[in-house]
Amino acid sequence: MSSPSDHPADPRVGLVTVDRLAITFLVDNNIEWFAKLPPGFMHETKQHLSSQPTKDPQTGVPIIDLENFCCGAHGFSALIETQVEGKKPHLTLFDTGPDSKSIFRNVTAMQVPVNLVETVVLSHWHSDHSGGMLSFLQMRSCDAPKCVVDLHPGRPIARGIAIPPTYETIIGRLPADPTFESIEAAGGIVEKHADGHTIADETIYISGEIPRVTAFEEGLPGGVRFVEEDGQRGRWTAEPHIMDERYAVVDVTGKGLVIFSACSHAGIVNVVTDAVRKFSRPIYMIIGGLHLGTPDLNNRISPTVDFLAHRLRPSPTYVLPMHCSGFHCKIALESALGEGCVPAGVGIKAEIHGDRRLEDRLFCPTFS
């Protein structure tokens, strides 16, 4: 693999570094209440108990109100708050989970100021990421400022899942993604982007198409797409590469890049490689689904972990394998990275503060 210096940073990217980044995980498959977390991370329970909870009149101690805590769901959603010192913060919602109920419950539980969210970004057209979008938009007050919904223009008619070993048997289709018209009817302003661009006053970069450069990351083997042809009935066709998938990046002063890769159908090595080549900055944190959970993808775990732990220098400070990463992937990352592998889950909040004194010590990563 070539050095990032062979691919200088794209001057059109225009991403500015932030002094503060806060992330609240609103939808994830996992709920983690007990594991040790790094500095700056906070469990959901602690957040609730520190914010004037209801006290039990009989015992006088705060009630752990399980009825109103977050629930897990097969999907992903993260609230991203970015701020440059001396400027107002920006709230961005990255994906919306799989359904109308989990996003509503978890946004309510975490007391998200929904009217202040400026942009909803959809990583890719799969309903476990788009299913809560309309529900979220409908939570906003009618007099709130309009919310931009940032989408890839290539919305599919339908997507489905085929099963191994032949991937010829389609076991079902995913629920329909919201249409552009339904998003606008729910109060969103649709913006379609196939190319990389910045949002939130240039504090977040949303990628365009992710270059596929690895030999072992071959997409989603069972991915299929329904297509219609003029004068013919529709048909299913293989679509392993999910080319509408996009990742998001925030650059924290003195720390480096924080990458949000909601499902990593492109492969997290391809995602990281593209980000490093675009920005020539070290990777501080990788967040999201790594899509290594199914048995037919087990052979990708070892080279993925080897790249993150050994071939990328410096290696990421933290990796948060979430959503579709899978148990065996998490075990392998924990073995290689130790406490650098963070057991994140829904309801957890992370706050990262930049340090301008460390900015001169950062250097462009290398690949081996």
Coordinates of all heavy atoms in Angstrom, one line a residue, residues 183-243:
I183 N -39.8 13.0 3.4 CA -38.9 13.7 4.2 C -39.3 15.2 4.2 O -39.3 15.9 5.2 CB -37.5 13.5 3.7 CG1 -37.0 12.1 4.0 CG2 -36.5 14.5 4.4 CD1 -35.8 11.7 3.3
E184 N -39.6 15.7 3.0 CA -40.0 17.1 2.9 C -41.3 17.4 3.6 O -41.5 18.4 4.3 CB -40.0 17.6 1.5 CG -38.7 17.6 0.8 CD -38.7 18.0 -0.6 OE1 -39.8 17.8 -1.3 OE2 -37.7 18.5 -1.1
A185 N -42.3 16.4 3.5 CA -43.6 16.6 4.2 C -43.4 16.5 5.7 O -44.3 17.1 6.4 CB -44.5 15.4 3.7
A186 N -42.4 15.9 6.2 CA -42.2 15.8 7.6 C -41.4 17.0 8.1 O -41.1 17.1 9.3 CB -41.4 14.5 8.0
G187 N -41.0 18.0 7.2 CA -40.4 19.2 7.7 C -38.9 19.3 7.4 O -38.2 20.2 7.8
G188 N -38.3 18.3 6.6 CA -36.9 18.3 6.3 C -36.7 19.0 5.0 O -37.5 19.1 4.1
I189 N -35.5 19.6 4.8 CA -35.0 20.2 3.6 C -34.1 19.2 2.9 O -33.0 19.0 3.5 CB -34.4 21.5 3.8 CG1 -35.3 22.5 4.5 CG2 -33.8 22.1 2.5 CD1 -34.7 23.8 4.9
V190 N -34.5 18.6 1.9 CA -33.6 17.5 1.2 C -32.5 18.2 0.5 O -32.7 19.1 -0.3 CB -34.5 16.7 0.3 CG1 -33.6 15.7 -0.5 CG2 -35.5 15.9 1.1
E191 N -31.3 17.7 0.8 CA -30.1 18.1 0.1 C -29.4 16.8 -0.4 O -29.1 16.0 0.4 CB -29.1 19.0 0.9 CG -29.6 20.3 1.2 CD -28.6 21.3 1.8 OE1 -27.4 20.8 1.9 OE2 -28.9 22.4 2.1
K192 N -29.2 16.7 -1.7 CA -28.6 15.4 -2.2 C -27.1 15.7 -2.6 O -26.8 16.7 -3.3 CB -29.4 15.0 -3.5 CG -30.9 14.8 -3.3 CD -31.6 14.5 -4.6 CE -33.1 14.4 -4.3 NZ -33.8 14.2 -5.6
H193 N -26.3 14.8 -2.1 CA -24.8 14.9 -2.3 C -24.2 13.6 -2.7 O -24.3 12.7 -1.8 CB -24.2 15.5 -1.1 CG -24.5 16.9 -0.7 ND1 -24.0 18.0 -1.3 CD2 -25.4 17.3 0.2 CE1 -24.5 19.1 -0.7 NE2 -25.4 18.7 0.2
A194 N -23.6 13.5 -3.8 CA -22.9 12.3 -4.2 C -21.4 12.5 -3.9 O -20.6 11.5 -3.8 CB -23.1 12.0 -5.7
D195 N -21.0 13.8 -3.8 CA -19.5 14.1 -3.6 C -19.3 14.5 -2.2 O -20.2 14.9 -1.4 CB -19.1 15.2 -4.6 CG -19.3 14.8 -6.0 OD1 -19.0 13.6 -6.3 OD2 -19.6 15.7 -6.8
G196 N -18.0 14.5 -1.8 CA -17.6 14.9 -0.5 C -17.9 16.4 -0.2 O -17.8 17.2 -1.2
H197 N -18.2 16.8 1.0 CA -18.6 18.2 1.3 C -18.6 18.4 2.8 O -18.5 17.4 3.6 CB -19.9 18.5 0.7 CG -21.0 17.7 1.3 ND1 -21.2 16.4 0.9 CD2 -22.0 17.9 2.2 CE1 -22.3 15.8 1.5 NE2 -22.8 16.8 2.3
T198 N -18.6 19.6 3.3 CA -18.6 19.9 4.7 C -20.0 20.4 5.1 O -20.7 21.0 4.2 CB -17.5 20.9 5.1 OG1 -17.7 22.1 4.3 CG2 -16.1 20.3 4.9
I199 N -20.3 20.2 6.3 CA -21.5 20.8 6.9 C -21.2 21.4 8.3 O -20.0 21.3 8.7 CB -22.6 19.7 7.1 CG1 -22.1 18.6 8.0 CG2 -23.0 19.1 5.7 CD1 -23.2 17.6 8.4
A200 N -22.2 21.9 9.0 CA -22.0 22.4 10.3 C -20.9 23.4 10.4 O -20.0 23.3 11.2 CB -21.8 21.3 11.3
D201 N -21.0 24.4 9.5 CA -20.0 25.5 9.4 C -18.6 24.9 9.3 O -17.6 25.3 9.9 CB -20.0 26.3 10.7 CG -19.5 27.7 10.5 OD1 -19.3 28.1 9.4 OD2 -19.2 28.4 11.5
E202 N -18.5 23.9 8.4 CA -17.2 23.3 8.0 C -16.5 22.5 9.1 O -15.3 22.2 9.1 CB -16.2 24.3 7.4 CG -16.8 25.0 6.1 CD -15.7 25.9 5.5 OE1 -15.1 26.6 6.3 OE2 -15.6 25.9 4.3
T203 N -17.3 22.1 10.1 CA -16.7 21.3 11.2 C -16.9 19.8 11.0 O -16.4 19.0 11.8 CB -17.3 21.7 12.6 OG1 -18.8 21.5 12.6 CG2 -17.0 23.2 12.9
I204 N -17.7 19.4 10.0 CA -17.9 17.9 9.8 C -17.8 17.7 8.3 O -18.4 18.5 7.5 CB -19.3 17.4 10.2 CG1 -19.5 17.6 11.7 CG2 -19.5 15.9 9.9 CD1 -20.9 17.3 12.2
Y205 N -17.0 16.7 7.9 CA -16.9 16.4 6.5 C -17.7 15.1 6.2 O -17.6 14.1 7.0 CB -15.4 16.1 6.1 CG -15.2 15.5 4.8 CD1 -15.3 16.3 3.6 CD2 -14.9 14.2 4.6 CE1 -15.0 15.8 2.4 CE2 -14.7 13.6 3.3 CZ -14.8 14.5 2.2 OH -14.5 13.9 1.0
I206 N -18.5 15.1 5.2 CA -19.3 14.0 4.7 C -18.6 13.5 3.4 O -18.5 14.3 2.5 CB -20.7 14.3 4.5 CG1 -21.3 15.0 5.7 CG2 -21.5 13.0 4.2 CD1 -21.3 14.2 7.0
S207 N -18.2 12.2 3.4 CA -17.5 11.8 2.2 C -18.4 11.6 1.0 O -19.6 11.5 1.1 CB -16.8 10.4 2.5 OG -17.7 9.3 2.4
G208 N -17.7 11.5 -0.1 CA -18.4 11.0 -1.3 C -18.2 9.5 -1.4 O -18.0 8.8 -0.4
E209 N -18.1 9.0 -2.6 CA -17.9 7.6 -2.8 C -16.5 7.1 -2.3 O -15.5 7.8 -2.4 CB -17.9 7.3 -4.3 CG -17.8 5.8 -4.7 CD -17.9 5.6 -6.2 OE1 -19.0 5.9 -6.7 OE2 -16.9 5.1 -6.8
I210 N -16.5 6.0 -1.6 CA -15.3 5.5 -0.9 C -14.5 4.6 -1.8 O -15.0 3.6 -2.3 CB -15.7 4.7 0.4 CG1 -16.6 5.6 1.3 CG2 -14.5 4.2 1.1 CD1 -17.3 4.8 2.4
P211 N -13.3 5.0 -2.1 CA -12.5 4.2 -3.0 C -12.2 2.8 -2.4 O -12.0 2.7 -1.2 CB -11.2 5.0 -3.1 CG -11.5 6.4 -2.8 CD -12.6 6.3 -1.7
R212 N -12.4 1.8 -3.2 CA -12.2 0.4 -2.8 C -10.8 0.0 -3.2 O -10.5 -0.3 -4.4 CB -13.2 -0.5 -3.4 CG -14.7 0.0 -3.2 CD -15.1 0.3 -1.8 NE -16.3 1.1 -1.7 CZ -17.5 0.6 -1.5 NH1 -17.7 -0.7 -1.4 NH2 -18.6 1.4 -1.4
V213 N -9.8 -0.1 -2.2 CA -8.4 -0.3 -2.5 C -7.9 -1.6 -1.9 O -6.8 -2.1 -2.3 CB -7.6 0.9 -2.1 CG1 -8.0 2.1 -2.8 CG2 -7.6 1.1 -0.6
T214 N -8.6 -2.2 -1.0 CA -8.1 -3.5 -0.4 C -8.6 -4.7 -1.2 O -9.6 -4.6 -1.9 CB -8.7 -3.6 1.1 OG1 -10.1 -3.7 1.0 CG2 -8.3 -2.4 1.9
A215 N -7.8 -5.8 -1.0 CA -8.2 -7.0 -1.7 C -9.2 -7.8 -1.0 O -10.0 -8.6 -1.6 CB -6.9 -7.8 -1.9
F216 N -9.3 -7.7 0.4 CA -10.1 -8.6 1.2 C -11.5 -8.0 1.6 O -12.4 -8.7 2.0 CB -9.4 -9.0 2.4 CG -9.1 -7.9 3.4 CD1 -10.0 -7.7 4.5 CD2 -8.0 -7.1 3.3 CE1 -9.8 -6.6 5.4 CE2 -7.7 -6.1 4.3 CZ -8.6 -5.9 5.3
E217 N -11.6 -6.7 1.4 CA -12.9 -6.0 1.8 C -13.8 -6.0 0.5 O -13.6 -5.1 -0.4 CB -12.7 -4.6 2.3 CG -12.0 -4.7 3.7 CD -11.6 -3.3 4.2 OE1 -11.1 -2.4 3.5 OE2 -11.9 -3.1 5.4
E218 N -14.7 -6.9 0.4 CA -15.5 -7.1 -0.8 C -16.9 -6.8 -0.6 O -17.8 -7.3 -1.3 CB -15.3 -8.6 -1.3 CG -13.8 -8.9 -1.7 CD -13.7 -10.3 -2.1 OE1 -14.4 -11.2 -1.5 OE2 -12.8 -10.6 -2.9
G219 N -17.2 -5.9 0.3 CA -18.6 -5.4 0.4 C -19.5 -6.4 1.2 O -19.0 -7.2 2.0
L220 N -20.8 -6.3 1.0 CA -21.8 -7.1 1.6 C -22.2 -8.3 0.7 O -22.9 -8.0 -0.3 CB -23.0 -6.3 1.9 CG -24.2 -6.9 2.6 CD1 -23.9 -7.5 4.0 CD2 -25.4 -6.0 2.7
P221 N -21.7 -9.5 0.9 CA -21.9 -10.6 -0.1 C -23.3 -10.8 -0.4 O -23.6 -11.1 -1.6 CB -21.3 -11.8 0.6 CG -20.3 -11.2 1.6 CD -20.9 -9.9 2.1
G222 N -24.2 -10.7 0.6 CA -25.6 -11.0 0.3 C -26.5 -9.8 -0.1 O -27.7 -9.9 -0.1
G223 N -25.8 -8.7 -0.4 CA -26.6 -7.5 -0.7 C -27.2 -7.6 -2.1 O -26.6 -7.9 -3.1
V224 N -28.5 -7.3 -2.2 CA -29.2 -7.3 -3.5 C -30.1 -6.0 -3.5 O -30.5 -5.5 -2.5 CB -30.1 -8.6 -3.6 CG1 -29.2 -9.8 -3.8 CG2 -31.1 -8.7 -2.5
R225 N -30.4 -5.6 -4.8 CA -31.1 -4.4 -5.0 C -32.2 -4.7 -6.1 O -31.9 -5.4 -7.1 CB -30.2 -3.3 -5.5 CG -30.8 -2.0 -5.8 CD -29.8 -1.0 -6.2 NE -30.3 0.4 -6.5 CZ -29.8 1.5 -5.9 NH1 -28.7 1.4 -5.2 NH2 -30.3 2.7 -6.2
F226 N -33.4 -4.2 -5.9 CA -34.5 -4.4 -6.8 C -34.4 -3.2 -7.8 O -34.4 -2.0 -7.5 CB -35.8 -4.4 -6.1 CG -37.0 -4.8 -6.9 CD1 -37.2 -6.2 -7.2 CD2 -37.8 -4.0 -7.5 CE1 -38.2 -6.7 -7.9 CE2 -38.9 -4.4 -8.3 CZ -39.1 -5.8 -8.5
V227 N -34.4 -3.6 -9.1 CA -34.4 -2.6 -10.2 C -35.5 -2.8 -11.1 O -36.0 -3.9 -11.3 CB -33.0 -2.6 -10.9 CG1 -31.9 -2.3 -10.0 CG2 -32.8 -4.0 -11.6
E228 N -35.9 -1.7 -11.8 CA -37.0 -1.8 -12.8 C -36.4 -1.4 -14.1 O -35.6 -0.5 -14.2 CB -38.1 -0.8 -12.4 CG -38.9 -1.3 -11.2 CD -40.1 -0.3 -10.9 OE1 -40.0 0.8 -11.3 OE2 -41.0 -0.8 -10.1
E229 N -36.9 -2.0 -15.2 CA -36.4 -1.8 -16.5 C -37.6 -1.4 -17.4 O -38.7 -2.0 -17.2 CB -35.6 -3.0 -17.1 CG -34.4 -3.3 -16.2 CD -33.8 -4.6 -16.6 OE1 -34.5 -5.5 -17.1 OE2 -32.6 -4.8 -16.4
D230 N -37.4 -0.6 -18.3 CA -38.5 -0.1 -19.2 C -39.2 -1.3 -19.9 O -38.5 -2.1 -20.5 CB -38.0 0.8 -20.3 CG -37.5 2.2 -19.7 OD1 -38.0 2.5 -18.5 OD2 -36.8 2.9 -20.3
G231 N -40.5 -1.4 -19.7 CA -41.3 -2.4 -20.4 C -41.1 -3.8 -19.8 O -41.6 -4.8 -20.4
Q232 N -40.4 -3.9 -18.7 CA -40.2 -5.2 -18.1 C -40.6 -5.2 -16.6 O -40.6 -4.1 -16.0 CB -38.8 -5.7 -18.2 CG -38.3 -5.8 -19.7 CD -36.9 -6.3 -19.7 OE1 -36.4 -7.0 -18.8 NE2 -36.2 -6.0 -20.9
R233 N -40.9 -6.4 -16.1 CA -41.1 -6.4 -14.6 C -39.7 -6.2 -13.9 O -38.7 -6.5 -14.4 CB -41.6 -7.8 -14.2 CG -43.0 -8.1 -14.8 CD -43.5 -9.4 -14.3 NE -43.6 -9.5 -12.9 CZ -43.9 -10.6 -12.2 NH1 -44.2 -11.7 -12.9 NH2 -44.0 -10.6 -10.9
G234 N -39.8 -5.7 -12.7 CA -38.6 -5.5 -11.9 C -37.9 -6.8 -11.6 O -38.5 -7.9 -11.7
R235 N -36.7 -6.7 -11.2 CA -35.9 -7.9 -10.8 C -34.9 -7.5 -9.7 O -34.5 -6.4 -9.6 CB -35.2 -8.5 -12.1 CG -34.2 -7.5 -12.6 CD -33.5 -8.0 -13.9 NE -32.6 -7.0 -14.5 CZ -31.3 -6.9 -14.1 NH1 -30.8 -7.7 -13.1 NH2 -30.5 -6.0 -14.6
W236 N -34.4 -8.6 -9.0 CA -33.4 -8.4 -8.1 C -32.0 -8.6 -8.7 O -31.9 -9.5 -9.6 CB -33.5 -9.5 -6.9 CG -34.7 -9.2 -6.0 CD1 -35.9 -9.8 -6.0 CD2 -34.7 -8.3 -4.9 NE1 -36.7 -9.3 -5.0 CE2 -36.0 -8.4 -4.3 CE3 -33.8 -7.3 -4.4 CZ2 -36.4 -7.6 -3.3 CZ3 -34.2 -6.5 -3.4 CH2 -35.5 -6.7 -2.8
T237 N -31.1 -7.8 -8.3 CA -29.7 -7.9 -8.9 C -28.7 -7.8 -7.7 O -29.0 -7.1 -6.7 CB -29.4 -6.9 -9.9 OG1 -28.1 -7.1 -10.5 CG2 -29.5 -5.4 -9.3
A238 N -27.6 -8.5 -7.8 CA -26.6 -8.5 -6.8 C -26.0 -7.1 -6.6 O -25.8 -6.4 -7.6 CB -25.5 -9.5 -7.1
E239 N -25.8 -6.7 -5.4 CA -25.3 -5.3 -5.1 C -24.4 -5.4 -3.9 O -24.8 -4.9 -2.8 CB -26.4 -4.3 -4.9 CG -25.9 -2.9 -4.9 CD -26.9 -1.9 -4.3 OE1 -27.8 -2.3 -3.5 OE2 -26.9 -0.7 -4.7
P240 N -23.3 -6.0 -3.9 CA -22.5 -6.2 -2.7 C -21.8 -4.9 -2.3 O -21.4 -4.8 -1.1 CB -21.4 -7.2 -3.1 CG -21.3 -7.1 -4.6 CD -22.7 -6.7 -5.1
H241 N -21.6 -3.9 -3.2 CA -20.7 -2.9 -2.8 C -21.3 -1.6 -2.2 O -20.6 -0.8 -1.6 CB -19.8 -2.5 -4.0 CG -18.9 -3.5 -4.5 ND1 -17.9 -4.0 -3.7 CD2 -18.9 -4.3 -5.6 CE1 -17.2 -5.0 -4.3 NE2 -17.8 -5.2 -5.5
I242 N -22.6 -1.5 -2.3 CA -23.4 -0.4 -1.6 C -22.6 0.9 -1.8 O -22.1 1.6 -0.9 CB -23.5 -0.7 -0.1 CG1 -23.9 -2.1 0.2 CG2 -24.6 0.2 0.5 CD1 -25.2 -2.6 -0.3
M243 N -22.5 1.3 -3.0 CA -21.7 2.5 -3.4 C -22.2 3.8 -2.9 O -21.5 4.8 -3.0 CB -21.4 2.5 -4.9 CG -20.7 1.3 -5.5 SD -19.1 1.0 -4.6 CE -18.1 2.4 -5.1

